[in-house]
Amino acid sequence: MRTTVDVAWNGSVNTAVWGCVSWVLLLRRHQCGRSSWAGVAAAAAQPAGHPLAQLNPRLHQISQNPILYARDFHRVTEGSNTFFGPGYGSGPGCDLPTGLGSPSAKCLVCSLAGRF
């Protein structure tokens, strides 16, 4: 079982994410990270010309390159995942509540596709 997160993305039932489907504006109050990651993976697979399979090794490879990391992620350095009890604080580097940080999807798609 995994005990750490790889990236930060909205997964709270207490915060909303606005989205648009056709002409209907939706307010989603549940985890949107899964569907957002599916979109990033699909967008990167097209220029790559093949399915991307496991993203975690590639994400951590990107995190080891300071130029790609600064372009592809927003480092979350303040806050915590505390919710009615003990939690973990965020800080520099990879941490328990936010992993590598929140992705800059447009840039991350290029890196995942191998098009720097």
Side-chain angles (χ1 to χ4, degrees):
M1 175 169 49
R2 293 182 57 88
T3 59
T4 60
V5 297
D6 292 306
V7 296
W9 214 309
N10 187 3
S12 172
V13 296
N14 296 316
T15 58
V17 176
W18 288 98
C20 185
V21 178
S22 185
W23 55 271
V24 179
L25 191 61
L26 303 173
L27 175 65
R28 298 181 63 187
R29 293 189 63 88
H30 63 288
Q31 297 174 338
C32 69
R34 288 181 299 225
S35 55
S36 298
W37 269 117
V40 167
Q46 288 181 342
H50 56 80
L52 298 180
Q54 294 292 322
L55 295 181
N56 288 348
R58 184 70 183 129
L59 293 174
H60 287 281
Q61 183 182 20
I62 291 167
S63 76
Q64 300 304 307
N65 181 322
I67 294 169
L68 291 179
Y69 179 71
R71 185 190 72 182
D72 295 350
F73 289 96
H74 304 285
R75 184 66 235 138
V76 180
T77 58
E78 296 180 12
S80 72
N81 64 353
T82 303
F83 186 73
F84 292 116
Y88 297 96
S90 59
C94 188
D95 55 51
L96 288 174
T98 63
L100 298 173
S102 63
S104 173
K106 180 179 177 182
C107 296
L108 183 59
V109 162
C110 294
S111 293
L112 290 173
R115 300 178 187 270
F116 307 107

